[in-house]
Amino acid sequence: MTTAKQEFLDGFRLVLPILVAPVSFSFITGATSVQKGLSALEATLMSAGVFAGGGQLLALEVWHEPQAWLLVMLAAVSINVRFALQAASVQRKINHFSKFQRWLTIATLTDPAWGMSEVRHLTRQVSFWFISGITVPIYLIWVLGTLAGALLGNLVDDPARLGLDFAFVGIFIALALPFWKKSGALPVAVASGGTAILAKLAGFSALYVFIGAMAGVAVAGLMAARRARQEQA
Amino acid sequence: MMMDPYNMTLILLVALATFAMRAVGAVVMARVKLAPVSAAAFEAMPVAVLTAVVAPAALTQGLPEAIAGATAVFVGLRAPMAVVIVVAMATVVAMRHVMG
């Protein structure tokens, strides 16, 4: 077996157990997209071009608000800013890729591709084919799952009766749980969650996520500043 | 099958904003070292944003949604995402039915 093939299979074996997540996530994203007025084609193109479920769902929430063009970008940036941190870290591990391979890897970076590359890097060099073994199945599932969800979502006339409107919350809870378990997360979560609730109740219908997140980030910054002062003292 | 200019414009903006995040990380942040306070603020963004999405959605809509949200958190401590989604949907439907 060639090295490239072996590397691809290594990545594929690692990602296989978690592929049920993109299956369900993409399906909900497709169904939500058509409920928000996208055609099945548009929903599929969105998944192919954005390839980031959390940002897509959050953008769809504000799709019909006034100044939607600004709000959808704010939604995408605030959910996907984690990719900047992940890409910065991955970039240092893939300098030996060709330029094309490097940009393809960065443009399609996902949480699993990042996490599994970090772990792989502990024992050996990360190859383009290893990352492809992770990303290719996720991408195919993501695009085809969105199409399937969009086509079936078109048949549902009352999404709330199936709890489809709440699937979004389930997804974000599943995304948030690993972060909530980390030490030091509680004050940040309480600040951002509490502020977001107050901002929503106060009528900031589309901006409450952003306002809450800023409060959480501010608390994290203040905690770090206090730690730095204590270390100096 | 159709393509609407409004939808396609927004899709393009979301795609560009998302690509920009990945590219900024690879081009800029891979080369600069953040001060500890900025680094901590950046590290906190995922949990801050995700909680700001979840908390209002689960806690400001009513009791069925709050119960479904709490159930999803409890299940999510052990179960994978697909299960969490199904449990969240099933619980909210059941609670809405029970509580009318």
Side-chain angles (χ1 to χ4, degrees):
Chain A
M1 196 155 28
T2 62
T3 322
K5 204 167 164 187
Q6 183 61 50
E7 289 278 319
F8 187 91
L9 284 175
D10 278 3
F12 182 65
R13 273 191 213 101
L14 277 177
V15 81
L16 198 54
I18 65 147
L19 286 180
V20 66
V23 169
S24 51
F25 196 167
S26 62
F27 195 81
I28 297 296
T29 302
T32 306
S33 299
V34 294
Q35 300 292 347
K36 293 287 175 180
L38 273 65
S39 68
L41 176 62
E42 287 166 343
T44 310
L45 287 174
M46 184 171 185
S47 276
V50 179
F51 193 40
Q56 287 176 232
L57 279 182
L58 200 58
L60 288 167
E61 286 289 298
V62 293
W63 207 255
H64 297 289
E65 298 278 342
Q67 268 86 50
W69 64 274
L70 187 61
L71 293 172
V72 296
M73 285 201 289
L74 202 56
V77 165
S78 48
I79 284 282
N80 294 326
V81 70
R82 72 183 189 285
F83 287 142
L85 294 170
Q86 296 172 354
S89 176
V90 167
Q91 173 75 14
R92 296 192 195 100
K93 283 141 193 130
I94 63 171
N95 266 323
H96 56 287
F97 288 15
S98 74
K99 198 171 183 182
F100 174 74
Q101 290 175 340
R102 208 157 56 224
W103 274 105
L104 195 58
T105 301
I106 293 300
T108 59
L109 192 65
T110 55
D111 295 315
W114 162 73
M116 288 166 186
S117 297
E118 295 284 340
V119 174
R120 180 86 162 180
H121 182 74
L122 297 175
T123 54
R124 63 176 94 180
Q125 198 174 51
V126 175
S127 73
F128 176 71
W129 293 108
F130 171 75
I131 296 186
S132 301
I134 299 164
T135 303
V136 168
I138 297 179
Y139 191 86
L140 291 177
I141 287 174
W142 187 248
V143 174
L144 295 175
T146 303
L147 178 61
L151 293 174
L152 282 167
N154 270 331
L155 306 176
V156 179
D157 48 4
D158 182 9
R161 210 166 58 84
L162 296 175
L164 201 57
D165 58 316
F166 206 72
F168 161 78
V169 181
I171 287 173
F172 276 90
I173 285 174
L175 292 175
L177 269 168
F179 293 104
W180 284 339
K181 287 181 191 166
K182 284 188 191 166
S183 72
L186 189 65
V188 177
V190 169
S192 66
T195 309
I197 288 174
L198 290 177
K200 188 182 180 194
L201 295 176
F204 293 95
S205 60
L207 281 174
Y208 67 88
V209 170
F210 185 71
I211 295 170
M214 286 301 105
V217 167
V219 165
L222 288 173
M223 283 165 58
R226 206 179 63 173
R227 269 199 308 277
R229 270 203 310 277
Q230 280 168 349
E231 277 162 22
Q232 275 178 2
Chain B
M1 288 286 186
M2 50 155 200
M3 290 201 275
D4 168 71
Y6 179 87
N7 286 341
M8 289 310 292
T9 308
L10 293 191
I11 289 168
L12 191 65
L13 290 175
V14 174
L16 285 175
T18 304
F19 175 72
M21 291 301 100
R22 288 167 166 141
V24 161
V27 175
V28 182
M29 293 188 60
R31 295 197 183 115
V32 296
K33 197 172 174 344
L34 290 175
V37 173
S38 324
F42 253 102
E43 297 280 348
M45 274 183 186
V47 67
V49 173
L50 291 169
T51 313
V53 173
V54 168
L59 299 178
T60 66
Q61 297 194 68
L63 202 52
E65 287 77 10
I67 292 171
T71 310
V73 170
F74 183 74
V75 170
L77 291 172
R78 307 238 90 180
M81 178 191 268
V83 177
V84 180
I85 296 173
V86 172
V87 166
M89 291 169 72
T91 313
V92 86
V93 169
M95 287 298 136
R96 281 170 183 167
H97 188 72
V98 170
M99 299 179 180

